[in-house]
Every structure is written in structure tokens, then in C-alpha cells.
Amino acid sequence: MTARGVRPLPTKLKVVRGTLRKGRANAHEPALPVEIPRCPAHLSAEAKREWKRISRDLADYGLLTRIDRAALALYCEAWGRWVEAEKALRTYGVMIKAPSGFPMQSPYLAIANKAMEQIRALLTEFGMSPSSRTRVHAAAVVDEDNPLERLLRRKGEGA
């Protein structure tokens, strides 16, 4: 996959920083209500700590919604796996002795590196991360069975 250049910042983060330029904002960016989703019970202890740590910050910036639960759970579990692997690397080192007696790379290094890749990837998948959300173009859903919505839609079309 080729890089698309610098990833855009979420509109809400631009507002917080005071760098939003109206002409460059995604007019169709989804505006979902800010909500901290329920932490899944199956997460590891370290993942739950990360959930608690990061979810409040994300919500305070308006960057977390209920539908972000799965993406946040995956991120937190990858984070927990990375922390565990890093602790093991500090305990056993980057190089260990193989059963044959020769030095070899610790399997924890591969686990740590894979977890880091997963963390990075999870931030952009499906437009569910704050920075990739600016690329999502959502159109308003109109309930055609609702007479008020039909009337408002006709009025907006100049009828």
C-alpha cells in the first residue's frame, strides 16, 4: 500500500488547537455523539488500564464515540500485548540462548514489533480512528416513511 501523504487531523482536534480553516474542513465528516463505550470484560488487565487511561482523554477532545468500542478494544489489547512483551524483553533480553546453545533473537521482540504494527494500523482502519475519520464522507440518512423528513427534504430541494 502506498502512502497518501500526511494524515489529516480530526476536525475537532483542529478546533481545539485553533487551526481549523473552514474551507478545508470535511463538510460531510460524521458528527457522532461523544461517548465512552463500555470496556469489554475480556480485555487483559493492562488493556483495561489503557482503556481507562485513553478513553477519558479521547472523550474530552470529542474524539470517541460508542461505535469506536471495537477499534479501541483492539488498540488496547495490542497495547497490553506490547507492554507485556517489553517487560519480558527487559527481563530476558533481546537475545536469548537457543536450545542448541547458539544466541537467537527473543520471540518477545517479534511479539513487541507485531503489536506496534497493529497499534499503528488500528488507528486508521475503517475510518474509526480520529485522524482517519476526517476522510469519511457521511451523508444524512432520510427516513422516507417520515412525513416531516419528506417535507423538509422537498423544501431543501426547492420544491
Side-chain angles (χ1 to χ4, degrees):
M1 178 189 250
T2 60
R4 292 179 51 179
V6 178
R7 287 192 177 126
L9 290 173
T11 301
K12 288 186 179 185
L13 191 53
K14 290 178 185 178
V15 169
V16 169
R17 290 182 174 177
T19 59
L20 177 64
R21 292 171 62 186
K22 293 284 185 192
R24 293 188 179 181
N26 176 355
H28 301 288
E29 184 175 351
L32 303 170
V34 174
E35 179 182 333
I36 296 176
R38 185 177 40 83
C39 181
H42 69 273
L43 293 184
S44 69
E46 187 62 45
K48 287 178 182 177
R49 279 191 289 278
E50 179 64 4
W51 181 286
K52 186 175 182 178
R53 183 191 73 82
I54 198 69
S55 63
R56 173 53 48 205
D57 289 339
L58 290 172
D60 286 347
Y61 283 112
L63 301 174
L64 186 63
T65 69
R66 187 168 49 100
I67 67 168
D68 296 325
R69 182 177 189 241
L72 186 59
L74 292 172
Y75 160 77
C76 290
E77 200 59 59
W79 172 270
R81 194 171 298 121
W82 176 71
V83 168
E84 185 179 329
E86 289 295 325
K87 286 178 184 176
L89 284 169
R90 281 192 296 281
T91 301
Y92 303 111
V94 175
M95 299 299 291
I96 61 171
K97 188 183 282 190
S100 64
F102 290 100
M104 66 177 261
Q105 176 180 300
S106 169
Y108 292 112
L109 185 58
I111 293 168
N113 289 338
K114 185 65 176 177
M116 284 188 281
E117 288 175 21
Q118 291 170 339
I119 289 167
R120 264 188 249 121
L122 288 165
L123 297 177
T124 58
E125 280 299 309
F126 307 110
M128 296 287 288
S129 73
S131 65
S132 65
R133 188 168 287 133
T134 60
R135 293 186 189 136
V136 176
H137 291 268
V141 176
V142 176
D143 180 1
E144 292 296 335
D145 294 331
N146 184 324
L148 179 58
E149 286 192 27
R150 281 198 315 265
L151 176 65
L152 291 173
R153 185 171 184 199
R154 278 195 308 242
K155 199 168 194 153
E157 295 171 351

